[in-house]
Amino acid sequence: HTGEVGTSCYIAPEVYEGKTDYDHKCDVWSTGVVLLELLHKPLSVDRDKAAIANVKKRWSRMGTKPAHLLLRGLLHPEASKRIECSDALKMEVFDELKKKQPAGKENEPGSADANRTSTQSEDKEGKEADVAQAAAAVAELSVKSNNKGAKSAAELKDFKEAKKEAEKFCKTLEFSNPKTLEAGLRYWDKCGDQPVTYCVLLAHKLYETDLMNIEEVEEYVEDFDIDEYTAAEEIMFQELGYDLS
């Protein structure tokens, strides 16, 4: 991988800058760029300089989600601080893969695998209960929206559209707690003038374990306006009865 030979837009900063002492870490960078495009979106540039600037901008905005921590390690602008691929494979984002065991051994009585399977089963049941509880709450909110009087039909249509948009937003931003959707819809019901996506984003601050840096949303949602959301958030807090003084 040299300054003369390499795929455009995947070349590491040290190679682009013409340094001669680069090593395998330049390939770590290229791997990170590929993952970045797979997990986020293509760079949409055609020059190395623009690509590196784009990657550095995204890198500076990454939060603490497992996938972001992996990318931050692979795409560190300084080669000496870039992680090794062997270390990357030990990171949390790969935990689910590590849990997979050879067929026939995972459920042997008394084994650690059996205990793990039991724990995973309990966790799954707990998550299913949370999902069921949240789904019931959303259904209840839907019924309430259908019982508001003369305009109930139009309101119900609005609610269904808002619910569909909120579900898509939660999936896009990888919000895992079903209560985020429930709370977001309740906020929207009370703050009807605000986009449901703003309400969900506010709710995630209360229910998600991995909080998203507001600037990260720009990477996932087209035409997201940080200043507009920030102003709307203050209004929502006031409408929900929070004293911000």
Side-chain angles (χ1 to χ4, degrees):
H1 193 159
T2 71
E4 290 75 31
V5 180
T7 304
S8 179
C9 301
Y10 296 85
I11 294 176
E14 61 270 23
V15 178
Y16 174 77
E17 292 167 3
K19 296 180 179 179
T20 59
D21 59 346
Y22 62 84
D23 56 18
H24 64 284
K25 290 291 187 71
C26 65
D27 294 316
V28 172
W29 170 278
S30 300
T31 301
V33 176
V34 173
L35 285 175
L36 178 66
E37 292 191 304
L38 287 173
L39 297 173
H40 289 258
K41 59 183 180 181
L43 296 179
S44 300
V45 293
D46 57 4
R47 293 182 180 276
D48 293 330
K49 183 177 181 180
I52 291 171
N54 188 303
V55 171
K56 286 183 177 180
K57 180 179 179 181
R58 295 192 195 186
W59 180 85
S60 67
R61 293 179 173 182
M62 290 178 188
T64 57
K65 288 188 174 183
H68 287 175
L69 293 176
L70 171 64
L71 289 171
R72 286 184 67 85
L74 296 172
L75 294 170
H76 199 292
E78 296 181 36
S80 62
K81 296 182 180 179
R82 219 169 284 155
I83 61 174
E84 299 284 354
C85 287
S86 57
D87 293 327
L89 292 173
K90 300 175 184 177
M91 298 183 73
E92 182 182 353
V93 70
F94 293 108
D95 281 353
E96 289 302 316
L97 295 176
K98 295 176 189 174
K99 292 176 182 177
K100 293 184 178 181
Q101 300 294 324
K105 294 185 178 182
E106 59 271 24
N107 292 316
E108 292 181 1
S111 68
D113 294 327
N115 294 332
R116 184 184 297 111
T117 300
S118 176
T119 300
Q120 290 174 342
S121 177
E122 292 174 0
D123 290 342
K124 181 178 180 181
E125 290 175 359
K127 289 180 179 178
E128 289 176 346
D130 285 341
V131 171
Q133 182 181 3
V138 171
E140 178 185 356
L141 185 56
S142 177
V143 171
K144 289 181 180 178
S145 296
N146 196 29
N147 293 325
K148 286 187 177 180
K151 296 183 179 180
S152 61
E155 290 176 347
L156 179 59
K157 181 180 179 181
D158 288 344
F159 176 82
K160 287 182 177 179
E161 292 177 351
K163 179 174 178 288
K164 184 177 180 180
E165 185 176 358
E167 289 174 335
K168 180 180 179 182
F169 191 70
C170 286
K171 183 177 180 179
T172 298
L173 297 184
E174 301 177 359
F175 293 155
S176 58
N177 191 336
K179 292 184 179 179
T180 299
L181 172 63
E182 174 196 341
L185 288 171
R186 289 189 181 278
Y187 296 166
W188 175 81
D189 192 48
K190 293 182 179 180
C191 310
D193 293 335
Q194 301 297 339
V196 68
T197 51
Y198 286 5
C199 298
V200 171
L201 198 54
L202 176 62
H204 107 281
K205 294 185 176 183
L206 301 176
Y207 294 101
E208 295 296 320
T209 53
D210 292 325
L211 296 185
M212 174 167 279
N213 185 318
I214 192 65
E215 293 183 339
E216 293 178 57
V217 182
E218 288 185 313
E219 299 293 334
Y220 291 86
V221 182
E222 188 176 356
D223 298 328
F224 179 78
D225 190 311
I226 293 179
D227 294 333
E228 183 180 290
Y229 170 75
T230 302
E233 184 180 81
E234 184 175 348
I235 294 174
M236 285 189 288
F237 272 125
Q238 293 173 351
E239 291 182 347
L240 291 169
Y242 289 89
D243 184 4
L244 301 179
S245 59

